[in-house]
Amino acid sequence: MIIVKNYDLSLRCRWDAFIDNSKNGTFMLKRDYMDYHSDRFTDFSLMFYDDDKLVAVMPASLHGNEVRSHGGLTYGGVISDKKMTAGRMLELFDALKIFLKEHNIEKLLYKRVPAIYHRYPSDEDLYALFRNHAIISRRDISTCILMEDKINFNERRKRNIKKALKAQLTVTQSYDFQGYITLVNEVLQQYHDARAVHSGDELELLASRFPDIIKLYIASNNQNEMLAGVVIFDTNQTVHTQYIASSSIGRNVGALDLIMDYLINNYSVNKKFFDFGISNENEGWTLNSGLVTQKQEFGGRGIIHDFYELTI
């Protein structure tokens, strides 16, 4: 019988150890990442036990009479290990619905971990969602490269790389997250009237907690000016680009193309996937054609990220 309990700080080490040994969890679901913005969300993370043995966890936050998995994360959902079976997942969802109903929760917004981050087949939750009449409430499209069968860059990207090399630009790892987020926000403000989700301080903090995972690569000229940059999350088998930005000078000399060439063809050669992230706005209904075209010109193709709504 599955028992559901709320997470608390005393269970931090047990939670993190389970994520490390799960088949579909990443560092973003560990407490050092989740809790950096704990002041913005009411945590409602859940832990699932069978005979006192932890069999799954679900990062979650409380929003009135709605639970989201998780409001401050790109993805969440039920995280399990290799012992999870379809039958046990159905039992888990039965217990989950009872638990949420007892806490007067009327709706669960379920942000599933995209398949490219699974270390082992992990679709039991999809079947359980179907069996419980969950509906797809949002569908984003990300752009991804299968590293073992890469599609060549298109001619425009190749020309830009040659231009960057001719301009003697160099790609290096940087720790200037403050300076880079300033550049990101300038670009976002100019083209999208938006700002980065993370501040420079937050990125510095997270990078200090996960130095082998969160990294910034920049392209600079001979005057050491930062012309473009990419923040990557190096997660298990997949490298994910979190922030991509280029100054107007950088765009004229192909600075971003040079970084992407390095990250795809050098840095990520031993990975299974290279993920550029989504190109959607308006809860998935609007496709940013310019952004997705840029990613496709580097050889990326579509991967879906689904959100489900489950009425309790």
Side-chain angles (χ1 to χ4, degrees):
M1 180 178 177
I2 304 291
I3 302 296
V4 187
K5 296 181 181 180
N6 281 108
Y7 165 83
D8 66 56
L9 285 174
S10 69
L11 299 166
R12 180 189 188 93
C13 291
R14 192 170 190 186
W15 176 285
D16 284 350
F18 190 86
I19 295 294
D20 282 337
N21 291 293
S22 69
K23 58 180 182 171
N24 60 332
T26 73
F27 83 101
M28 289 178 66
L29 307 180
K30 296 180 73 170
R31 302 313 304 196
D32 268 345
Y33 190 94
M34 289 180 60
D35 294 342
Y36 85 90
H37 51 19
S38 58
D39 57 318
R40 301 181 209 167
F41 298 93
T42 301
D43 192 86
F44 199 80
S45 297
L46 302 177
M47 305 178 77
F48 303 87
Y49 296 85
D50 189 354
D51 289 333
D52 293 325
K53 180 174 177 56
L54 185 61
V55 297
V57 300
M58 187 178 81
S61 54
L62 185 64
H63 305 259
N65 59 4
E66 178 179 299
V67 166
R68 301 173 189 169
S69 68
H70 174 295
L73 298 174
T74 306
Y75 49 72
V78 174
I79 309 303
S80 59
D81 60 19
K82 291 181 182 178
K83 294 181 181 178
M84 179 58 68
T85 62
R88 178 178 270 182
M89 185 66 80
L90 290 175
E91 293 176 18
L92 184 151
F93 266 73
D94 287 342
L96 172 61
K97 288 194 300 180
I98 291 170
F99 182 87
L100 294 179
K101 193 170 293 185
E102 289 174 347
H103 286 76
N104 299 312
I105 304 302
E106 297 178 2
K107 184 191 299 182
L108 171 65
L109 178 62
Y110 191 96
K111 301 180 182 181
R112 186 169 187 267
V113 179
I116 57 173
Y117 295 99
H118 297 180
R119 295 192 291 274
Y120 205 80
S122 303
D123 285 352
E124 292 87 1
D125 62 339
L126 280 183
Y127 182 64
L129 288 164
F130 163 73
R131 284 281 299 268
N132 285 279
H133 308 288
I135 61 170
I136 295 176
S137 59
R138 173 176 169 179
R139 172 167 278 176
D140 290 336
I141 188 162
S142 188
T143 310
C144 177
I145 295 171
L146 177 63
M147 292 301 297
E148 67 183 23
D149 188 18
K150 291 182 291 187
I151 298 172
N152 291 332
F153 293 179
N154 83 341
E155 289 305 314
R156 174 163 56 174
R157 297 301 158 198
K158 292 178 181 177
R159 288 196 302 270
N160 284 347
I161 292 167
K162 290 178 181 177
K163 191 186 300 183
L165 292 172
K166 186 176 181 181
Q168 297 183 316
L169 303 190
T170 56
V171 176
T172 56
Q173 185 176 358
S174 171
Y175 300 91
D176 184 11
F177 290 98
Q178 298 281 359
Y180 183 60
I181 286 297
T182 298
L183 172 60
V184 170
N185 283 330
E186 288 173 357
V187 173
L188 287 175
Q189 183 65 40
Q190 180 179 357
Y191 291 98
H192 306 289
D193 192 27
R195 291 183 64 81
V197 173
H198 300 90
S199 67
D201 287 338
E202 288 171 338
L203 266 184
E204 280 186 352
L205 173 66
L206 291 170
S208 71
R209 292 178 176 179
F210 300 98
D212 296 326
I213 295 175
I214 300 177
K215 302 176 185 179
L216 167 63
Y217 285 89
I218 64 169
S220 307
N221 58 18
N222 290 334
Q223 290 75 47
N224 289 321
E225 294 176 288
M226 184 189 298
L227 302 183
V230 178
V231 173
I232 61 168
F233 287 2
D234 189 344
T235 60
N236 303 321
Q237 62 191 8
T238 302
V239 171
H240 168 70
T241 60
Q242 182 67 19
Y243 290 110
I244 301 172
S246 179
S247 68
S248 55
I249 297 174
R251 283 190 288 276
N252 289 334
V253 292
L256 185 58
D257 300 78
L258 191 65
I259 300 174
M260 287 301 185
D261 180 50
Y262 169 76
L263 290 176
I264 295 167
N265 293 316
N266 295 93
Y267 181 91
S268 303
V269 289
N270 293 320
K271 297 292 183 176
K272 188 170 183 179
F273 299 106
F274 187 91
D275 178 28
F276 290 95
I278 68 169
S279 302
N280 296 105
E281 301 162 11
N282 188 27
E283 298 291 307
W285 287 104
T286 302
L287 179 66
N288 185 323
S289 58
L291 185 58
V292 75
T293 296
Q294 179 191 53
K295 297 169 181 177
Q296 290 167 167
E297 288 178 346
F298 286 111
R301 294 297 183 265
I303 287 287
I304 287 298
H305 181 197
D306 281 337
F307 296 65
Y308 291 83
E309 228 175 68
L310 178 61
T311 301
I312 305 304

